[in-house]
Amino acid sequence: MKYALPLILAIAVVPISAADWPQFHGPNRDNKSPDKWLLRTWPEGGPSRIWEAAGIGEGYSTVAIVGKRIYTTGEIDGDCVITALDTGGKKVWTRKNGKAWDGNYPGTRSTPTITDGLLYHLSGIGNLVCLKPDTGEVVWSTNILEGFDGRKPTWGLAESPLVVGDKVICTPGGEEVSMVALSSKTGEIVWKCTGAGDKPGYASPILVRHQGLKQIVTAMSESIVGVRLSDGKLLWRYPHRVYAEENITTPIFHDGFLIVSGCVRKGTTSLRLQVSGGECSVERHWLNRTLDNKQGGIVLLDDRLYGYAETQSRTAPWMCIDFKSGETIFQSAPLQSSYKYKNGCLTCADGMFYLYSDNGNMCLARPTDEGFEVAGRLTIDDPGTRPTWAHPVVYGGRLYIRYGDKLGVYNVTGGVDQKEELGDL
């Protein structure tokens, strides 16, 4: 019995992850990690780096993690390349998915989605491929722009495919066909959604379950749309015009409300869903003009919304607003972005926020009623020549940061001195 306490302590400080991180923004597409017992403060210079993988290609894709494999994409010699790494950072396999987007801000955008023993990836020019995640072997492929008369947005397709059951959801944004569901096993058409009329946006779709109705919600070029999962019927379209059609922020759903945001003073909007049988409509609940998120994402934690406001970038761009009322709780400046790109992205784990600027700086921050309280800083020595827009990921006690053609992995596992987590053991 004298060994019981040390054993309990040893077990208690192992980081807990309830699931894999199999797609963009994690298991629930809410950008919140299930990890617990992580570092509450960082040492001088930031957490220790475990490894760095170079040569994964240029791009803005983040990572998906399933089992002992890490998946990401990058542009290498003009090709869109999917890379699988082991947990030590060594390449297991690579597979080309056609040519990479070579227009404005060249490089990859989409993050792979892995589910039910298959991997799906959409390139910036519309190549949708299904691979075996262990080997990279192609199961099926198609081009959604060619197959559905889709239209390229200004900065290339950026959505990460959503897989629901036996359906892969993606958005070609044609004049007729707005969204499609394909068989996850074969790539055959399950349904086509018509009627939205807009080009694709840059957000990734989410599944919304509310009052017995399942629908897919995403941002198009000039609207937010809801599509019935069972048959692809367009349920509703909410106008959401933003500067240069930059609808990028992935929507958030909680407790009957959708949260959407847009740059250049479009602000953040709460939409109330009204379901009646198999139909749905939406109405505006509130609008906060100040939190005009562009591409860094918004996180909901404890009925508060956190994100980066583009037009506040030179003063206090990191914001918190109330989920129920839309009122601003704080504006804060724990981390500055570059003057040119004016962007910051974030993720959340164990009640803490990991804020990442577009020039390769990061901080660990604790949210309070007055603002973000900085608990550590990290500066990437060589972040590359392009903006660091890839969203960070915390999973399995590790922090994954994408910059240039590299992926850095850092140890953020907590230690036995975390008394607030261990209690009175």
Side-chain angles (χ1 to χ4, degrees), residues 39 42-49 377-378 399 410-412:
L39 287 172
W42 285 351
E44 183 76 20
S48 60
R49 193 173 74 190
R377 296 187 182 276
L378 171 67
L399 166 64
Y410 296 80
N411 182 13
V412 292

Side-chain angles (χ1 to χ4, degrees), residues 236-252:
W236 53 268
R237 178 184 182 274
Y238 183 82
H240 195 258
R241 297 188 64 180
V242 297
Y243 174 78
E245 300 180 341
E246 292 178 337
N247 266 326
I248 304 173
T249 302
T250 293
I252 293 172

Side-chain angles (χ1 to χ4, degrees), residues 341-368:
Y341 296 110
K342 304 177 182 177
N343 186 65
C345 54
L346 77 171
T347 192
C348 177
D350 201 14
M352 301 288 284
F353 284 86
Y354 298 71
L355 311 180
Y356 190 33
S357 69
D358 57 23
N359 51 11
N361 294 315
M362 171 172 277
C363 75
L364 178 68
R366 181 180 296 104
T368 72

Side-chain angles (χ1 to χ4, degrees), residues 34-50:
D35 278 20
K36 300 294 183 184
W37 300 325
L38 303 177
L39 287 172
R40 313 300 292 180
T41 59
W42 285 351
E44 183 76 20
S48 60
R49 193 173 74 190
I50 302 171

Side-chain angles (χ1 to χ4, degrees), residues 43 67 71 83-84 125 127 131 134 164 209 238-239 248 259 323 352-353 383 393 413 417-418:
Y71 304 92
T83 296
I125 61 172
N127 290 328
L131 308 177
D134 290 339
V164 183
R209 301 180 180 91
Y238 183 82
I248 304 173
I259 303 298
F323 170 78
M352 301 288 284
F353 284 86
V393 167
T413 303
D417 59 338
Q418 291 180 234

Side-chain angles (χ1 to χ4, degrees), residues 11 15 34 43 45 73 93 105 157 173 251 266-267 316 357 366 372 375 394 408 421:
I11 294 173
T73 67
W93 57 259
Y105 299 100
L157 295 177
K266 181 65 176 181
S357 69
R366 181 180 296 104
F372 279 120
V394 176
E421 297 292 351

Side-chain angles (χ1 to χ4, degrees), residues 52-76:
E52 180 183 74
I56 59 174
E58 295 281 354
Y60 309 104
S61 311
T62 183
V63 298
I65 307 163
V66 174
K68 296 183 179 180
R69 294 287 182 268
I70 303 153
Y71 304 92
T72 192
T73 67
E75 178 269 315
I76 301 176

Side-chain angles (χ1 to χ4, degrees), residues 67-262:
K68 296 183 179 180
R69 294 287 182 268
I70 303 153
Y71 304 92
T72 192
T73 67
E75 178 269 315
I76 301 176
D77 296 329
D79 293 317
C80 173
V81 178
I82 305 167
T83 296
L85 305 168
D86 65 19
T87 54
K90 295 182 180 179
K91 289 183 180 179
V92 178
W93 57 259
T94 60
R95 172 67 63 180
K96 295 178 182 179
N97 185 17
K99 293 296 182 181
W101 172 258
D102 61 359
N104 291 329
Y105 299 100
T108 59
R109 284 102 164 90
S110 172
T111 299
T113 299
I114 303 96
T115 184
D116 197 23
L118 293 171
L119 179 151
Y120 306 87
H121 178 257
L122 179 67
S123 76
I125 61 172
N127 290 328
L128 177 64
V129 66
C130 172
L131 308 177
K132 293 182 179 180
D134 290 339
T135 63
E137 178 185 349
V138 177
V139 177
W140 57 263
S141 64
T142 188
N143 187 290
I144 66 169
L145 296 182
E146 296 173 0
F148 302 100
D149 294 324
R151 293 171 288 180
K152 293 180 184 177
T154 303
W155 291 280
L157 295 177
E159 71 175 345
S160 297
L162 174 66
V163 181
V164 183
D166 59 357
K167 301 179 183 70
V168 182
I169 312 296
C170 48
T171 313
E175 291 184 1
E176 293 188 13
V177 179
S178 309
M179 182 185 292
V180 295
L182 306 179
S183 166
S184 60
K185 304 299 182 184
T186 66
E188 296 178 353
I189 299 170
V190 178
W191 52 249
K192 295 184 285 187
C193 172
T194 60
D198 294 335
K199 291 186 290 185
Y202 303 95
S204 293
I206 63 171
L207 171 65
V208 171
R209 301 180 180 91
H210 186 52
Q211 296 182 351
L213 178 65
K214 294 180 181 179
Q215 58 183 298
I216 306 300
V217 174
T218 197
M220 306 293 289
S221 60
E222 296 187 3
S223 64
I224 311 297
V225 298
V227 176
R228 195 159 60 199
L229 174 63
S230 60
D231 59 5
K233 179 183 178 180
L234 179 67
L235 297 172
W236 53 268
R237 178 184 182 274
Y238 183 82
H240 195 258
R241 297 188 64 180
V242 297
Y243 174 78
E245 300 180 341
E246 292 178 337
N247 266 326
I248 304 173
T249 302
T250 293
I252 293 172
F253 173 75
H254 177 66
D255 200 23
F257 295 91
L258 277 169
I259 303 298
V260 298
S261 192

